[in-house]
Amino acid sequence: MKTETGYVAGVNGNLIKVDFEGSVRKNEVGYILVDDKRLKGEVIRINNGEVSMQIYEMTNGIKVGDPVEFTGELMSVDLGPGLLTQVFDGLQNPLPALAEQCGFFLDRGVYLDAIPDRDWEFTPVAKVGDIVQAGDTIGTVPEGLFTHRIMVPFTLKGEWTVKSVKEAGTYNVRSTIASIENDRGEKKELSMIFTQPIKQAVKCYAERLRPTEPLVTKIRCIDSFLPVAKGGTFCTPGPFGAGKTVLQHMQAKNSDVDIVIVAACGERAGEVVEVLKEFPELTDPKTGRSLMERTIIICNTSSMPVAAREASCYTAVTLAEYYRQMGLDVLLLADSTSRWAQAMREMSGRLEEIPGEDAFPADLEAPIAAIEERAGKVRLHDGSLASITIGGTVSPAGGNFEEPVTQATLKVVGAFHGLARERSDARKYPAIHPVDSWSKYQGVVDMDIIERARSILIRSTKVNQMMKVVGEEGTSAEDYIIYQKGELLDSVYLQQNSFDPVDEACVPERQRREFGVLYDAMMKTYDLSDKTEIRAFFNQLRQEFLDWHGTLFESPEFLEQEKKITDFYMAKVID
């Protein structure tokens, strides 16, 4: 392909205006040549022989007249074996290798191969003469815990005939392992690596399905009251310090998925360092080994160039689609989409677009929806099911959920887990507000009885607000019992002890068992009239439930404590 060239006509921060002649397309990659360095950028607007490019590097030293080379290729990532356990920036540069080459301060214009140059044990699946299409499997290699499929590139159109394929053996990741040809005589040589444009959704599947199966996170508040479906979407907005990062760690550790991808798209460097330090130390409950063995981290802090922050989300979701195409369930956690939206606001301002609310782009909902809609549960051509579940945290200024990013996100997600400052200050984990939050999915417990329990919680909240005005003395015994029932539900079921090795992860069977006992206790009418007696009864019942949480499921201690709880509250029930 002929390389088009141009020259810099204007500089505004990381937005560069380039005059050119020839043919250039949107989202094409270009390089600005300055100080013997090639600075990577992407075309975001084309207008009468002038393009606007966002540069993924610091733009110091760029001046009018500097030459620009357009590659003819879209902004893409490399896909192949060797991605797991790695830490990339938003452009898929491996950060450990980059730090080893550049030291503590990364140099501009340095781009490294994302996939390590190593050999893999290849086993062919396709045979000479087979008809294949995009996304079909040519062969497999073992990658850690998984069988990694070597696939036909996702960008190829139509049907192709396999002309040759290597025998089983050890080959370099970049050596040719197969060749294919279509009916027009076009030939392609395939290696274990291919590229995929990050802003083109992968659709190499037979059918897109409605997400109905719950994604088990072993967090009671989520699985029972505010469920997420495999292939669904959810958002977790909350003020700073409300526990978003801790909650994401527990979701990554305990969720019933195969691959976890964490996109730190603009968080402060200190918080990202915390992720990088703690994730390798998290023990995978499935294997007993490091969680990093099935994790990829995309790391773009708020101190990195603003344009790369935007690319990081697209890079992460493209990697997720790659592993979904292998028949795996993937969980993508983005932290935080507010910083990603701020990057788009900065670029929109420099493009002199008409601003929307709070100066965010007027079409803010479109890019958010473009990311969220790439989640989903699919049936592949071989009949296997796979999914991508996307969860994004939002950091609204002052914890204001009415701000544009939160509202635009709520329009396209299936579950809303709003973190409350007062709950985090009260050391409640998770600090998800059970009344303000909602979900459109089915959970692990019958949603009809969940709604009845939620109605008691709502009535309890109203009584609590009334008590703040009239005091406990001005509240009837009936209302006070309702208040205590809501507090019981909140303290023993909607909260967990993340430091307790048993209570930190609650399997669905245990959730159904414990909620059944709790629901029965909440629905009973008690022979209690004195507020002191009411308070003492529910405090004791609360402690018995908390003690129950610390026992191993179905152990003799578990069964004994269950009987103790039942006998305790039944003794006060009015027949």
Side-chain angles (χ1 to χ4, degrees), residues 509-527:
E509 296 80 8
R510 181 166 188 154
Q511 292 185 42
R512 286 188 282 267
R513 181 81 159 267
E514 292 187 354
F515 187 78
V517 176
L518 176 62
Y519 179 76
D520 185 60
M522 292 173 61
M523 292 296 112
K524 297 296 189 206
T525 303
Y526 296 103
D527 183 17

Side-chain angles (χ1 to χ4, degrees), residues 461-472:
T461 303
K462 292 179 179 178
V463 173
N464 186 27
Q465 293 171 345
M466 181 181 67
M467 286 169 53
K468 292 178 181 178
V469 179
V470 301
E472 187 177 302

Side-chain angles (χ1 to χ4, degrees), residues 173-236:
V173 71
R174 290 176 172 79
S175 62
T176 299
I177 51 95
S179 63
I180 57 177
E181 182 178 350
N182 64 9
D183 54 5
R184 295 188 298 275
E186 299 174 339
K187 296 182 179 181
K188 296 283 185 183
E189 291 190 343
L190 306 181
S191 70
M192 300 183 195
I193 300 175
F194 62 89
T195 60
Q196 170 67 25
I198 62 176
K199 294 184 179 178
Q200 289 183 6
V202 177
K203 298 182 178 179
C204 305
Y205 46 78
E207 184 182 8
R208 188 179 178 96
L209 305 173
R210 182 181 180 86
T212 55
E213 180 187 356
L215 174 67
V216 176
T217 65
K218 298 181 183 177
I219 301 171
R220 291 188 295 265
C221 178
I222 295 176
D223 292 349
S224 298
F225 270 72
L226 303 163
V228 176
K230 279 188 178 180
T233 55
F234 65 98
C235 70
T236 310

Side-chain angles (χ1 to χ4, degrees), residues 271-337:
E271 295 187 13
V272 177
V273 168
E274 181 182 344
V275 172
L276 296 179
K277 281 185 176 180
E278 293 188 4
F279 254 77
E281 296 178 1
L282 291 177
T283 301
D284 187 351
K286 291 186 175 182
T287 63
R289 297 154 67 176
S290 172
L291 183 63
M292 276 300 295
E293 293 187 8
R294 57 185 182 96
T295 300
I296 304 172
I297 297 178
I298 310 296
C299 174
N300 252 96
T301 67
S302 55
S303 58
M304 292 181 173
V306 66
R309 195 188 306 173
E310 186 214 359
S312 60
C313 279
Y314 291 102
T315 297
V317 76
T318 304
L319 297 181
E321 288 174 326
Y322 178 58
Y323 281 98
R324 179 177 66 181
Q325 197 62 32
M326 296 183 200
L328 301 175
D329 293 316
V330 185
L331 174 62
L332 170 57
L333 299 172
D335 188 16
S336 94
T337 54

Side-chain angles (χ1 to χ4, degrees), residues 243-470:
K244 295 189 293 293
T245 303
V246 175
L247 184 57
Q248 279 198 334
H249 282 191
M250 299 309 293
Q251 289 171 330
K253 178 180 177 180
N254 294 316
S255 292
D256 183 22
V257 294
D258 301 304
I259 304 292
V260 178
I261 299 178
V262 180
C265 48
E267 275 301 322
R268 294 166 294 183
E271 295 187 13
V272 177
V273 168
E274 181 182 344
V275 172
L276 296 179
K277 281 185 176 180
E278 293 188 4
F279 254 77
E281 296 178 1
L282 291 177
T283 301
D284 187 351
K286 291 186 175 182
T287 63
R289 297 154 67 176
S290 172
L291 183 63
M292 276 300 295
E293 293 187 8
R294 57 185 182 96
T295 300
I296 304 172
I297 297 178
I298 310 296
C299 174
N300 252 96
T301 67
S302 55
S303 58
M304 292 181 173
V306 66
R309 195 188 306 173
E310 186 214 359
S312 60
C313 279
Y314 291 102
T315 297
V317 76
T318 304
L319 297 181
E321 288 174 326
Y322 178 58
Y323 281 98
R324 179 177 66 181
Q325 197 62 32
M326 296 183 200
L328 301 175
D329 293 316
V330 185
L331 174 62
L332 170 57
L333 299 172
D335 188 16
S336 94
T337 54
S338 292
R339 307 299 179 91
W340 175 57
Q342 288 168 9
M344 291 189 289
R345 177 169 64 182
E346 189 168 328
M347 290 307 304
S348 176
R350 288 173 178 167
L351 286 168
E352 299 179 356
E353 296 176 341
I354 297 175
E357 187 178 355
D358 288 359
F360 284 103
D363 63 340
L364 177 63
E365 295 175 16
I368 292 177
I371 291 289
E372 299 287 353
E373 68 187 7
R374 291 172 72 169
K377 181 178 180 180
V378 301
R379 178 181 287 110
L380 303 178
H381 291 295
D382 63 2
S384 60
L385 302 180
S387 66
I388 297 174
T389 307
I390 296 181
T393 66
V394 187
S395 303
N400 175 25
F401 291 171
E402 299 302 318
E403 57 88 42
V405 181
T406 304
Q407 290 300 309
T409 306
L410 290 181
K411 293 178 181 179
V412 295
V413 297
F416 163 56
H417 301 161
L419 302 180
R421 167 66 67 188
E422 62 271 15
R423 293 180 68 83
S424 64
D425 289 346
R427 300 295 186 267
K428 293 183 177 182
Y429 167 80
I432 299 173
H433 198 294
V435 175
D436 293 345
S437 303
W438 49 261
S439 173
K440 300 176 182 177
Y441 303 118
Q442 293 292 318
V444 300
V445 180
D446 183 9
M447 298 308 290
D448 288 335
I449 63 174
I450 287 292
E451 285 305 314
R452 288 196 284 271
R454 189 195 298 273
S455 67
I456 292 179
L457 188 64
I458 294 172
R459 290 168 60 193
S460 172
T461 303
K462 292 179 179 178
V463 173
N464 186 27
Q465 293 171 345
M466 181 181 67
M467 286 169 53
K468 292 178 181 178
V469 179
V470 301

Side-chain angles (χ1 to χ4, degrees), residues 485-506:
K485 285 181 177 180
E487 288 293 297
L488 178 70
L489 171 62
D490 191 0
S491 60
V492 306
Y493 199 82
L494 299 182
Q495 296 172 43
Q496 282 177 249
N497 185 353
S498 61
F499 295 104
D500 188 296
V502 176
D503 195 34
E504 71 167 0
C506 190

